[in-house]
Amino acid sequence: MGISSERAQAPHRRDHRIDALRGAALLMMCIDHIPQNWLNRFTMRNIGFADAAEVFVLLAGYASWLAYGRAFAKKPVVTVLARIGRRCWQLYVFQIVMVVVCIATIRIWRHFWPVPVDFLEPELAHGLDSAWRVLSLVALPGNLNILPLYIVLLLGFAPLYALLRGVGTPVVLGLSAAVWLGVNYDPRLNFPNWLDPDGWYFDPLAWQFLFVLGVCAARVAGRHDGSLPRARWLAALCALYLVFSAVQSFPWTDWGFADLRPVVMALPDKMILSPWRLVDVLALFYLVQSSPRATVWANTRPGQLMALFGRHSLEIFTAGTLVDLYGRLVLTSFGTGWMMQVVVNVAGFYVLLAVARVKERQRVAARQGRAASVPAGAPLCRG
């Protein structure tokens, strides 16, 4: 039913809202992972229950449908499976590169400037005996745990697609929600992590629900010209929830204000993707992906800058993780004054911008090369 209607949509236009939202999330993740960075006072984690990680995973599901779900309807299954496998391998390689660079950098840095061991897990800081655990994703160091989650979720995309085709969206959502609820009831249901007795920081059994919701949202948007259907009552409800989330989550006392939180509640658990966090990111996503104004903003200069980052999410995430590392080391070793804040943030931004521009030039050149190889008069097939 949904497949035939999606086939009828030609050509597919790239939705800059998705890229811009993902780019903004990547920048906020970079800022949040430097605890001493003054800018992290202004990221979304201070004005809501969810943070950039939830946005990243939800958009990963959305983008996975656009990249692979539509391809299953057009290309041989083996071809699409090979593409998924190559992407998973690419994610794994980037993960290992980040781990190696982080370990080597911290070990070298500590010979010249003392920094706490907690820049790495103690097991990795004092020896390489556990390296094989890192390579097999049995040990996930802090700040290096979201790509393994993405690998697991992407490996499950083909079975998810088969279920969507076989039993339908309501059944799939019900099964996925049941697993998520089970984890929220018993957080011990998790993948093992040798570095943390509680398991993976992003419990795949819980976070898969957010990924599946992203996939299903992409299918719905595909039937409505790339946008989620707008309902005023639902948009108003989402806006009200986000206001409550902002007031409840804002660090009032840290800013010297009176505590205006309406209710007393524990911090929503990120590991198991608590309902508070899940509803928060879904409300934000619905308002963006159903709004014509968001489409207009995504085509402005700031929106296009965010979209530039979002189009090359893996490279920007990897570069951002290394920027985080060096930013933390610099601020720890040389102080957190305003001058060092400016140096770290300006240098980090331009590193990410340079990476994004290089990747964009490569993307444009590759697209032009493909167009030049198509014989005159032949239709250009969009994959």
Side-chain angles (χ1 to χ4, degrees), residues 116-143:
V117 173
D118 62 8
F119 269 81
L120 277 176
E121 310 297 334
E123 294 84 357
L124 300 180
H126 295 302
L128 294 177
D129 295 340
S130 58
W132 69 271
R133 300 180 190 271
V134 176
L135 294 175
S136 60
L137 304 183
V138 174
L140 299 183
N143 288 353

Side-chain angles (χ1 to χ4, degrees), residues 46-67:
N46 294 305
I47 53 172
F49 296 126
D51 59 28
E54 280 88 351
V55 176
F56 183 84
V57 174
L58 178 63
L59 294 183
Y62 195 100
S64 294
W65 177 262
L66 299 182

Side-chain angles (χ1 to χ4, degrees), residues 361-379:
R361 284 195 294 268
Q362 293 175 353
R363 184 183 76 89
V364 171
R367 185 174 60 185
Q368 292 173 345
R370 288 194 298 268
S373 66
V374 177

